[in-house]
Amino acid sequence: MHAKVSVAVQTGDFDIAAEYARLAGDTSIGAVVQFIGRVRDQNEGSTVSRLMLEHYPGMTEKVLDNIGQRALIRWNLLSVRIVHRIGPLDLADQIVLVQVAAKNREAAFESAHAIMDFLKTEAPFWKQEATPEGARWLDAREHDESAVQRWSDVKK
Amino acid sequence: MHLLYFGRLRQEFGLSEENLAPPSVATVAGLLAQLRARGGIWAEELAEGRIFRVAVDQEVATPDMPLQAGSEVAIFPPVTGG
Protein backbone atom coordinates (compact mmCIF):
# COMPACT_ATOMS: atom_id res chain seq x y z
CA MET A 1 0.00 0.00 0.00
CA HIS A 2 1.35 3.45 -0.92
CA ALA A 3 1.92 6.12 1.74
CA LYS A 4 -0.53 9.03 1.88
CA VAL A 5 2.17 11.66 1.57
CA SER A 6 5.65 10.82 0.34
CA VAL A 7 8.43 13.11 -0.80
CA ALA A 8 11.90 12.63 -2.26
CA VAL A 9 14.78 14.99 -3.01
CA GLN A 10 17.35 13.33 -5.25
CA THR A 11 20.07 13.91 -7.86
CA GLY A 12 18.87 11.03 -10.04
CA ASP A 13 15.97 11.06 -12.48
CA PHE A 14 12.48 9.77 -11.65
CA ASP A 15 10.38 7.32 -13.64
CA ILE A 16 6.78 8.52 -14.10
CA ALA A 17 5.55 5.08 -15.13
CA ALA A 18 7.02 3.57 -11.95
CA GLU A 19 5.50 6.39 -9.90
CA TYR A 20 2.09 5.73 -11.44
CA ALA A 21 2.51 1.98 -10.86
CA ARG A 22 2.74 2.64 -7.11
CA LEU A 23 -1.01 3.34 -7.22
CA ALA A 24 -1.90 0.07 -8.96
CA GLY A 25 -4.76 -1.86 -7.39
CA ASP A 26 -6.12 1.00 -5.24
CA THR A 27 -9.80 0.83 -6.14
CA SER A 28 -10.72 4.02 -4.24
CA ILE A 29 -8.81 6.23 -6.71
CA GLY A 30 -10.91 7.83 -9.45
CA ALA A 31 -8.43 10.44 -10.73
CA VAL A 32 -4.67 10.83 -10.90
CA VAL A 33 -2.83 13.96 -12.05
CA GLN A 34 0.93 13.90 -12.62
CA PHE A 35 2.62 17.24 -13.22
CA ILE A 36 6.21 17.24 -14.50
CA GLY A 37 8.39 20.35 -14.56
CA ARG A 38 11.31 20.31 -17.04
CA VAL A 39 14.41 22.35 -17.88
CA ARG A 40 13.52 24.84 -20.62
CA ASP A 41 16.01 26.32 -23.11
CA GLN A 42 14.89 29.94 -22.65
CA ASN A 43 14.35 32.11 -19.60
CA GLU A 44 13.87 35.88 -19.36
CA GLY A 45 15.28 36.46 -22.84
CA SER A 46 18.43 34.37 -22.44
CA THR A 47 19.35 31.01 -23.88
CA VAL A 48 19.81 28.50 -21.08
CA SER A 49 22.22 25.61 -21.62
CA ARG A 50 22.27 24.02 -18.17
CA LEU A 51 20.81 24.34 -14.67
CA MET A 52 22.24 23.82 -11.20
CA LEU A 53 19.80 23.26 -8.35
CA GLU A 54 20.83 23.86 -4.76
CA HIS A 55 18.68 23.11 -1.71
CA TYR A 56 18.62 23.21 2.09
CA PRO A 57 18.91 19.55 3.18
CA GLY A 58 16.46 18.74 5.93
CA MET A 59 14.27 21.83 5.60
CA THR A 60 13.41 20.97 1.98
CA GLU A 61 11.97 17.57 2.89
CA LYS A 62 10.01 19.07 5.83
CA VAL A 63 8.50 21.83 3.67
CA LEU A 64 7.54 19.41 0.87
CA ASP A 65 5.92 17.05 3.37
CA ASN A 66 4.06 19.97 4.98
CA ILE A 67 2.75 21.13 1.57
CA GLY A 68 1.61 17.56 0.81
CA GLN A 69 -0.16 17.21 4.17
CA ARG A 70 -1.98 20.54 3.73
CA ALA A 71 -3.17 19.57 0.24
CA LEU A 72 -4.21 16.10 1.47
CA ILE A 73 -6.53 17.69 4.04
CA ARG A 74 -7.85 20.57 1.91
CA TRP A 75 -8.78 18.40 -1.11
CA ASN A 76 -9.43 15.15 0.78
CA LEU A 77 -6.83 13.41 -1.39
CA LEU A 78 -5.98 9.73 -1.31
CA SER A 79 -2.25 10.31 -1.84
CA VAL A 80 0.38 12.93 -2.66
CA ARG A 81 3.84 12.22 -4.06
CA ILE A 82 6.43 14.97 -4.62
CA VAL A 83 9.86 14.28 -6.16
CA HIS A 84 12.32 17.12 -6.75
CA ARG A 85 15.78 16.81 -8.29
CA ILE A 86 18.92 18.69 -7.23
CA GLY A 87 22.40 19.14 -8.71
CA PRO A 88 23.31 19.68 -12.36
CA LEU A 89 20.49 19.29 -14.91
CA ASP A 90 20.55 19.44 -18.69
CA LEU A 91 17.98 20.84 -21.11
CA ALA A 92 14.74 18.84 -21.25
CA ASP A 93 15.62 17.00 -18.03
CA GLN A 94 12.79 16.43 -15.58
CA ILE A 95 13.06 18.66 -12.47
CA VAL A 96 9.96 18.01 -10.42
CA LEU A 97 7.09 15.56 -10.18
CA VAL A 98 3.83 16.22 -8.36
CA GLN A 99 1.45 13.27 -8.36
CA VAL A 100 -1.94 13.43 -6.68
CA ALA A 101 -4.58 10.74 -6.41
CA ALA A 102 -8.17 11.65 -5.59
CA LYS A 103 -11.71 10.37 -5.81
CA ASN A 104 -12.54 12.85 -8.58
CA ARG A 105 -10.87 15.06 -11.16
CA GLU A 106 -11.62 18.48 -9.64
CA ALA A 107 -9.68 17.65 -6.50
CA ALA A 108 -6.84 16.12 -8.51
CA PHE A 109 -6.41 19.01 -10.97
CA GLU A 110 -6.77 21.76 -8.36
CA SER A 111 -4.50 20.22 -5.75
CA ALA A 112 -1.70 19.48 -8.23
CA HIS A 113 -1.83 23.13 -9.32
CA ALA A 114 -1.83 24.37 -5.72
CA ILE A 115 1.03 22.10 -4.64
CA MET A 116 3.23 23.50 -7.43
CA ASP A 117 2.32 27.09 -6.46
CA PHE A 118 3.23 26.37 -2.81
CA LEU A 119 6.42 24.57 -3.79
CA LYS A 120 7.58 27.56 -5.87
CA THR A 121 7.18 30.01 -2.99
CA GLU A 122 8.03 27.87 0.08
CA ALA A 123 10.42 25.03 -0.72
CA PRO A 124 14.10 26.02 -0.22
CA PHE A 125 15.52 25.37 -3.68
CA TRP A 126 17.66 27.81 -5.68
CA LYS A 127 18.32 27.63 -9.42
CA GLN A 128 21.45 28.81 -11.14
CA GLU A 129 21.37 28.94 -14.94
CA ALA A 130 24.27 28.63 -17.33
CA THR A 131 23.75 31.17 -20.16
CA PRO A 132 26.04 32.60 -22.91
CA GLU A 133 26.51 35.64 -20.59
CA GLY A 134 27.69 33.34 -17.77
CA ALA A 135 26.10 31.68 -14.76
CA ARG A 136 23.29 33.58 -13.06
CA TRP A 137 21.08 32.94 -10.06
CA LEU A 138 17.37 33.15 -10.80
CA ASP A 139 15.36 35.84 -9.03
CA ALA A 140 12.06 34.91 -7.43
CA ARG A 141 9.18 36.00 -9.65
CA GLU A 142 6.40 38.33 -8.57
CA HIS A 143 4.01 36.05 -10.46
CA ASP A 144 4.78 33.11 -8.14
CA GLU A 145 3.79 35.18 -5.08
CA SER A 146 0.49 36.27 -6.65
CA ALA A 147 -0.27 32.77 -8.02
CA VAL A 148 -0.26 31.34 -4.51
CA GLN A 149 -2.88 33.87 -3.30
CA ARG A 150 -5.66 31.92 -4.98
CA TRP A 151 -5.16 29.07 -2.49
CA SER A 152 -5.55 31.30 0.57
CA ASP A 153 -8.13 28.94 2.07
CA VAL A 154 -5.45 26.24 2.52
CA LYS A 155 -4.20 26.20 6.11
CA LYS A 156 -0.52 26.93 6.78
CA MET B 1 24.82 28.56 16.90
CA HIS B 2 25.20 27.04 13.47
CA LEU B 3 24.73 29.40 10.51
CA LEU B 4 24.04 28.29 6.95
CA TYR B 5 24.01 30.34 3.74
CA PHE B 6 22.45 29.27 0.45
CA GLY B 7 22.16 30.23 -3.21
CA ARG B 8 23.38 33.63 -4.36
CA LEU B 9 24.13 34.73 -0.77
CA ARG B 10 26.38 31.70 -0.17
CA GLN B 11 28.31 32.69 -3.28
CA GLU B 12 28.49 36.40 -2.37
CA PHE B 13 29.65 35.68 1.19
CA GLY B 14 32.07 33.00 -0.03
CA LEU B 15 30.85 30.88 2.87
CA SER B 16 28.34 28.05 3.18
CA GLU B 17 28.39 27.66 6.97
CA GLU B 18 29.98 28.89 10.19
CA ASN B 19 29.62 28.57 13.97
CA LEU B 20 28.95 31.69 16.08
CA ALA B 21 28.10 32.43 19.69
CA PRO B 22 24.55 33.81 20.01
CA PRO B 23 24.51 37.62 19.57
CA SER B 24 24.19 39.88 22.65
CA VAL B 25 20.63 40.62 21.51
CA ALA B 26 19.67 36.97 21.04
CA THR B 27 17.11 37.36 18.25
CA VAL B 28 17.16 37.09 14.46
CA ALA B 29 17.28 40.93 14.29
CA GLY B 30 20.23 40.95 16.72
CA LEU B 31 22.11 38.40 14.63
CA LEU B 32 21.50 40.34 11.41
CA ALA B 33 22.81 43.54 13.08
CA GLN B 34 25.95 41.66 14.13
CA LEU B 35 26.49 40.26 10.62
CA ARG B 36 25.96 43.70 9.02
CA ALA B 37 28.63 45.09 11.37
CA ARG B 38 31.15 42.96 9.46
CA GLY B 39 30.78 45.60 6.72
CA GLY B 40 31.43 45.05 3.00
CA ILE B 41 29.29 42.48 1.25
CA TRP B 42 27.60 41.54 4.57
CA ALA B 43 26.37 45.09 5.18
CA GLU B 44 25.33 45.38 1.55
CA GLU B 45 23.44 42.09 1.12
CA LEU B 46 21.75 42.16 4.55
CA ALA B 47 20.86 45.88 4.46
CA GLU B 48 17.35 46.96 5.47
CA GLY B 49 15.12 46.73 2.41
CA ARG B 50 17.10 43.94 0.75
CA ILE B 51 14.99 40.85 0.19
CA PHE B 52 16.21 37.67 1.87
CA ARG B 53 14.78 35.01 4.17
CA VAL B 54 15.85 33.65 7.54
CA ALA B 55 14.94 30.21 8.91
CA VAL B 56 15.54 29.13 12.51
CA ASP B 57 15.68 25.39 13.11
CA GLN B 58 14.36 24.92 9.57
CA GLU B 59 11.23 27.05 10.06
CA VAL B 60 10.77 30.45 8.39
CA ALA B 61 11.55 33.07 11.06
CA THR B 62 10.59 36.66 11.85
CA PRO B 63 13.04 39.32 13.21
CA ASP B 64 11.83 38.93 16.81
CA MET B 65 12.42 35.15 16.86
CA PRO B 66 14.71 34.25 19.82
CA LEU B 67 17.99 32.38 19.24
CA GLN B 68 19.77 29.86 21.47
CA ALA B 69 23.28 28.45 21.49
CA GLY B 70 22.00 25.33 19.73
CA SER B 71 19.96 27.11 17.05
CA GLU B 72 20.44 26.36 13.36
CA VAL B 73 20.01 29.62 11.46
CA ALA B 74 19.86 29.76 7.67
CA ILE B 75 19.97 32.93 5.58
CA PHE B 76 18.98 32.67 1.93
CA PRO B 77 17.48 34.48 -1.08
CA PRO B 78 13.80 34.01 -2.02
CA VAL B 79 13.36 30.44 -3.28
CA THR B 80 13.30 29.52 -6.98
CA GLY B 81 12.59 25.78 -7.22
CA GLY B 82 10.00 23.86 -9.22
Side-chain angles (χ1 to χ4, degrees):
Chain A
M1 189 66 190
H2 54 86
K4 283 207 155 191
V5 174
S6 102
V7 306
V9 178
Q10 60 193 43
T11 50
D13 203 3
F14 49 82
D15 178 344
I16 57 169
E19 295 291 346
Y20 182 66
R22 291 154 63 100
L23 305 176
D26 186 332
T27 55
S28 60
I29 297 172
V32 177
V33 166
Q34 295 198 133
F35 169 86
I36 296 108
R38 299 180 13 147
V39 181
R40 194 179 51 198
D41 62 359
Q42 291 278 327
N43 191 36
E44 291 169 7
S46 266
T47 306
V48 175
S49 57
R50 212 155 191 247
L51 208 63
M52 178 64 77
L53 259 148
E54 181 173 327
H55 79 126
Y56 181 175
M59 182 171 174
T60 313
E61 292 82 352
K62 278 191 203 173
V63 170
L64 294 180
D65 184 71
N66 176 265
I67 292 170
Q69 300 290 351
R70 278 149 57 199
L72 193 80
I73 292 166
R74 165 62 180 81
W75 281 276
N76 196 22
L77 301 173
L78 298 164
S79 71
V80 177
R81 169 85 170 148
I82 305 172
V83 183
H84 203 297
R85 295 180 67 191
I86 50 169
L89 294 174
D90 288 318
L91 295 183
D93 276 358
Q94 304 185 121
I95 306 174
V96 58
L97 167 75
V98 170
Q99 179 203 67
V100 293
K103 291 197 181 81
N104 60 59
R105 71 181 185 282
E106 287 85 0
F109 276 127
E110 264 190 37
S111 62
H113 191 172
I115 287 168
M116 274 309 299
D117 285 351
F118 288 129
L119 187 153
K120 287 219 160 239
T121 52
E122 296 177 24
F125 292 102
W126 300 274
K127 279 193 193 117
Q128 191 183 46
E129 293 174 339
T131 74
E133 299 84 43
R136 68 169 184 198
W137 291 98
L138 259 73
D139 286 326
R141 296 189 310 155
E142 195 73 27
H143 166 77
D144 292 333
E145 287 294 338
S146 54
V148 82
Q149 303 294 331
R150 86 185 98 200
W151 314 112
S152 57
D153 65 323
V154 178
K155 287 197 180 64
K156 277 273 177 189
Chain B
M1 238 174 31
H2 192 57
L3 269 71
L4 299 163
Y5 308 105
F6 291 102
R8 197 182 58 78
L9 289 178
R10 173 185 56 73
Q11 192 173 11
E12 294 291 341
F13 296 152
L15 196 62
S16 58
E17 56 187 310
E18 63 179 318
N19 288 305
L20 279 186
S24 45
V25 180
T27 62
V28 166
L31 172 66
L32 292 175
Q34 184 178 315
L35 294 176
R36 279 184 205 113
R38 290 174 171 176
I41 193 71
W42 297 88
E44 190 181 318
E45 290 292 347
L46 302 177
E48 303 277 353
R50 292 298 293 264
I51 298 171
F52 58 87
R53 308 271 183 264
V54 180
V56 175
D57 296 329
Q58 307 190 350
E59 303 264 357
V60 174
T62 50
D64 59 350
M65 181 90 66
L67 299 176
Q68 275 108 41
S71 298
E72 176 177 294
V73 184
I75 303 178
F76 48 80
V79 302
T80 56

